[in-house]
Amino acid sequence: MNRISIKLGLLFLAFILLIEIGLFFYLYTGLADTRISEELESLRLRGNSHREVLEKHHDSPTLSHVALMESEAETDVIITDKTGKVIGSSHPLVKGARKTVEQWEGHSFRYRGEIIQEYQKEKSYIATASPIKINDENVGTVYMFKNTKDIQDMIFRLQHHFYIVGIISVLFSIITVFALSKFITLPLIRMKQATQKLSQGDFSVKLGAHSRDELGQLGTSIQTLSNELHRLKQERNEFLSSISHELQTPLMYLKGYADVAKRSFNSEEERNNHLTIIQEEAQRLSQLVKDLFQLARLDQHTFLIQKQNVKLYPYLHNIIQHFDLALKEKDIQLQFDCPQAIELYIDPERFQQVILNLLDNALKYSESGTQISVRARELPTKVTITLRDQGIGIPSTDLPYVFDKLYRVEKSRSRKSGGYGLGLSIVKEIVEAHEGEVAIKSGVGKGTTVEISLRKDV
Ligand SMILES: Nc1ncnc2c1ncn2[C@@H]1O[C@H](COP(=O)(O)OP(=O)(O)OP(=O)(O)O)[C@@H](O)[C@H]1O
Ligand SMILES: [Mg+2]
């Protein structure tokens, strides 16, 4: 038995008992009160009807007739004259009846009859009194009595029922506690164990089939969380190992060339060559570290995007100009097509990185004599910017992964063509930070098309 089911069970028990006590008081007092007032009422009416008979025939045969009738019935009667003297009574009488009559001697009762003894636990009877009036003159009183044994029995039976119901509901609550622990808290316990395992780094969490209620949804969420954590951990491990691998190679070069440059028998020219390589390598390394740093910041969402309205034509034109020299060197033509009117709400500095990286790829992975095009289009809800090249293309097996960090199609080519495989991941992060989308299409030997779409309303 676990703590939560005990808590829930006790709560449930308290709740049921509370309801039961409430119901008990309501029903018990209600039922008992009606029953008692019914008894009193019928006693009063009986007294009144004797009184009426006596008013019509106030003589001793009628008196003894009434007394005889009451001796046979469950009720008792005492009849007094106007001085309070008893002139007739049934037999036997309830205990204390005569005393009550003495107590009320000389009292003038209302004609409709009065209750002179209410139901009380310690009294064994109830009583009423009806005055006898002939020609508006008080000639005596009819006192009626009734034993309360019946009422007490009824109340006792009522209590008995309520006790039984009470015991049943306690039993029911205990059963419920067990059921609760099985059906409600068991999945909770399993989830608790699962999260404990998760926090200890064990991701082999299997929560099994889930119901469709909130608990089931919680289970599904935990399962998703666990899978996601697992994936992230794996990704991080892979990322770290590829980073260390990436760093290893340039550092090896640096060390190697530094060793060679140190040798005294090298000519001045050779030494300069080696130093240039060292410089380039250091440059590349510093770029890598910068890119990684940027990605890390993009990942953590710790950077602020400072958007402003940008006229797309001059903006793109300006970026493309950076490539003029490189394009000429490689004899690649660039077509630029952008309506003057397009305006975008973007962070110009960060978005420049996107275009730079994409153009860099297009240039890097194209043969000389080919064409690159940069085209912007305004659609009803979005603006698209498309970069197309006629370069070497990307095999379809690699295409899904090119946005991953440090992913390159040709691992060995990296030193020659210079990339670390971070460009496209930076592109994706920045575009997504602008709530845009980036899509890539490519075929080996056919060239590559990258399309960025940005929503106009953000
Ligand atoms: N336009 C393209 N044509 C052919 N292949 C491409 C093109 N763009 C990207 N790729 C392939 O996708 C891989 C990932 O591109 P990405 O820009 O992320 O890395 P990179 O260019 O190798 O290095 P970096 O951009 O970090 O200098 C590249 O290594 C390349 O193989
Ligand atoms: Mg690149």
Side-chain angles (χ1 to χ4, degrees), residues 340-360:
Q340 291 275 356
I342 301 183
E343 271 203 25
L344 276 183
Y345 189 56
I346 52 174
D347 182 333
E349 217 168 295
R350 303 218 184 256
F351 207 74
Q352 173 162 339
Q353 289 250 301
V354 172
I355 310 292
L356 283 177
N357 276 325
L358 293 177
L359 273 175
D360 178 58

Side-chain angles (χ1 to χ4, degrees), residues 228-245:
E228 189 62 11
L229 274 175
H230 191 39
R231 193 184 63 78
L232 278 177
K233 201 182 172 192
Q234 262 181 344
E235 211 171 67
R236 195 191 60 187
N237 287 345
E238 279 166 24
F239 185 65
L240 279 178
S241 65
S242 30
I243 286 269
S244 43
H245 180 77

Side-chain angles (χ1 to χ4, degrees), residues 437-450:
E437 280 167 31
V438 51
I440 189 163
K441 268 186 260 169
S442 188
V444 176
K446 287 189 196 135
T448 304
T449 308
V450 179

Side-chain angles (χ1 to χ4, degrees), residues 23 72 95 102 136 242 298 327 344 400:
L23 272 182
E72 296 297 313
K95 226 178 104 207
E102 278 166 27
D136 245 2
S242 30
L298 286 168
L327 286 164
L344 276 183

Side-chain angles (χ1 to χ4, degrees), residues 12 23 29 32 193 387 394 424:
F12 193 76
L23 272 182
T29 48
Q193 287 163 349
L387 282 99
I394 305 167
L424 284 180

Side-chain angles (χ1 to χ4, degrees), residues 291 357-358 360-366 389 391-394 401-404 406-410 413-414 417-426 440 442 447-450:
D291 283 354
N357 276 325
L358 293 177
D360 178 58
N361 282 353
L363 192 66
K364 216 158 48 175
Y365 304 112
S366 290
D389 65 51
I392 57 172
I394 305 167
Y401 308 108
V402 289
F403 288 108
D404 291 355
L406 295 172
Y407 192 87
R408 289 184 307 246
V409 174
E410 259 182 82
R413 209 190 47 212
S414 81
S417 48
Y420 278 108
L422 290 174
L424 284 180
S425 22
I426 292 175
I440 189 163
S442 188
T448 304
T449 308
V450 179

